[in-house]
Amino acid sequence: MVDVRALIRDVPDFPKPGILFRDITPVLANPAAFKAVIDGMTGLARVHGATHIAGIESRGFIVGAPVAQALGVPLVLVRKPGKLPHTTDRIDYDLEYGQDALEIHTDAVGVGDRVVVVDDLLATGGTAEAACRLLERQGASVASLLVVIELLGLNGAARLGPRPVHALIKY
């Protein structure tokens, strides 16, 4: 069995001084490790009864697409503004220093849908929380948030309230 954690590269001072970036590109470059990640996330999404997988831009697309395909469910793209070609719903949210926004297609999810949100990393939880609120505003329920890596010291899971959060690797 491949050790996915051993493949994650630490990049100090990226994207700015004082940040220790956890780089998953070596995992993506290793077919066995990438398969282990997708298999783990697929199993968790199945347990949570996913009817849809929502991938958060951009690395959430990388892990979300194969999970959605494996489960035979739709993939919902949660994107930055102006990237989706059809009618969208938008949510603005606060970051530590500033604001950002996310959008989804208005016909992406609806009442009765059980969405599992996926991303590569959970830090403070601001983007994940905004994605969940956006999906819930469309009538869907967020069954779970799945991430490859969770940075425990930043308490992102606590910000997501009662929504279940699962990480394959925790730091």
Side-chain angles (χ1 to χ4, degrees):
M1 176 164 273
V2 66
D3 183 359
V4 173
R5 184 185 196 106
L7 292 172
I8 295 169
R9 179 174 29 218
D10 291 344
V11 182
D13 299 320
F14 183 83
K16 61 183 184 177
I19 301 292
L20 178 61
F21 186 81
R22 305 289 182 166
D23 181 15
I24 66 163
T25 56
V27 175
L28 303 176
N30 182 307
F34 188 38
K35 182 180 185 326
V37 166
I38 298 309
D39 289 350
M41 294 183 107
T42 300
L44 287 167
R46 184 176 287 117
V47 166
H48 285 282
T51 64
H52 293 68
I53 299 296
I56 299 174
E57 187 169 337
S58 67
R59 290 189 178 132
F61 300 168
I62 295 169
V63 293
V67 172
Q69 193 279 327
L71 293 174
V73 302
L75 175 67
V76 177
L77 302 181
V78 180
R79 300 216 61 188
K80 294 180 181 178
K83 303 285 186 174
L84 294 171
H86 188 55
T87 307
T88 60
D89 188 15
R90 173 187 172 123
I91 191 165
D92 295 304
Y93 64 100
D94 292 324
L95 296 170
E96 188 174 348
Y97 299 106
Q99 285 197 323
D100 210 342
L102 294 172
E103 294 181 341
I104 60 170
H105 281 142
T106 55
D107 61 357
V109 296
V111 175
D113 293 336
R114 291 182 52 80
V115 182
V116 170
V117 178
V118 298
D119 207 356
D120 66 322
L121 184 128
L122 177 64
T124 64
T127 302
E129 180 190 30
C132 291
R133 289 185 14 234
L134 185 57
L135 292 158
E136 291 164 348
R137 194 162 73 192
Q138 295 298 309
S141 65
V142 174
S144 180
L145 175 77
L146 308 179
V147 295
V148 179
I149 300 168
E150 180 182 359
L151 303 178
L152 296 171
L154 298 176
N155 298 315
R159 186 170 182 169
L160 294 165
R163 302 173 193 100
V165 176
H166 300 282
L168 300 179
I169 298 166
K170 297 180 181 189
Y171 285 98

